Amino acid sequence: EFTGSPDSGKTTLINGIDSIFRNSGFRVNRPQEGAEVFRALSRKTPLYNLTTGAYGLINVSSAATGRDYDVVLLDRALYDADGWMLYWRDKDKLTEEEMRKFQKFFTHPILLNYIDLCLCVVCAPEEAMRRAKLDAPTIVESKEGDSTNLKSIGKLVEIFSKMHDKMKSAGKPVILIDSTHLSKPQMFDRAIEAVFDAVKRKVEAK
């Protein structure tokens, strides 16, 4: 799974790792990101991330039971849902109890154990905004862009860093990549090393 803050390089990594595996002869499944599937759904309530989290769960279940692919690259799924529940708690759109119940569901071992690695990618807000403007310089900011301004990106960096620390301390296979000062080759080096380590663990476990 790939998760993290906006414009941190997550999609760039997915594209590159997808290419590496396919060019090496692996059958790769890359489900569409929930944000694209549910574009018409308002992003101003927890329902949005509950929906994308449920969609991520479906993708995890399909990957766990399917035999058509060797590798499945999840663009946001269960770890992502855990982080976003904290985001909505901070906005007082969820109570503490509601947040914990949703987090407990999405990160239940029955579900989370099917994910061999989570790459959590973050980037400083100023650099993220700079990258976003380079990628789409003529696009006017959306009125729904609550999570794409400097303050919100900073909050999301904090949230996903906390998610990483919590999951790592629980022994989960999660890696944090802060891409703020990394070149693309450096970012790929860190991600690929983590991915290959996960593949090695998977093979050795069999």
Side-chain angles (χ1 to χ4, degrees), residues 58-184:
I58 291 171
N59 288 330
V60 170
S61 176
S62 297
T65 57
R67 294 294 180 269
D68 295 332
Y69 300 98
D70 304 306
V71 179
V72 180
L73 304 178
L74 301 168
D75 190 348
R76 302 191 180 278
L78 303 180
Y79 287 91
D80 189 73
D82 182 88
W84 281 102
M85 293 307 103
L86 180 55
Y87 174 85
W88 291 113
R89 175 67 190 98
D90 282 355
K91 282 186 165 290
D92 291 323
K93 296 291 182 71
L94 290 176
T95 66
E96 186 75 17
E97 182 181 7
E98 289 170 336
M99 178 194 74
R100 294 190 183 280
K101 283 182 176 180
F102 285 132
Q103 287 180 320
K104 187 175 181 180
F105 170 72
F106 284 116
T107 63
H108 192 284
I110 290 177
L111 309 176
L112 212 59
N113 286 346
Y114 284 109
I115 299 178
D116 298 303
L117 176 68
C118 175
L119 288 174
C120 182
V121 192
V122 298
C123 178
E126 294 79 9
E127 175 62 14
M129 294 290 284
R130 186 189 72 81
R131 294 175 185 178
K133 289 178 181 178
L134 287 175
D135 290 339
T138 61
I139 294 179
V140 179
E141 285 191 15
S142 167
K143 292 181 180 179
E144 293 256 52
D146 289 350
S147 62
T148 54
N149 57 61
L150 283 173
K151 183 178 179 180
S152 290
I153 292 174
K155 174 56 68 174
L156 287 169
V157 170
E158 178 185 343
I159 284 172
F160 281 104
S161 296
K162 285 182 178 178
M163 183 277 291
H164 163 268
D165 293 345
K166 177 181 73 173
M167 294 299 184
K168 192 171 183 66
S169 66
K172 302 302 180 183
V174 56
I175 301 293
L176 182 71
I177 298 177
D178 185 341
S179 68
T180 306
H181 302 295
L182 297 180
S183 65
K184 284 186 179 181

Side-chain angles (χ1 to χ4, degrees), residues 34-35 38 41 47-57 76-77 80-81:
F38 303 103
L41 194 61
L47 177 63
Y48 177 76
N49 293 108
L50 290 171
T51 302
T52 57
Y55 170 75
L57 170 55
R76 302 191 180 278
D80 189 73

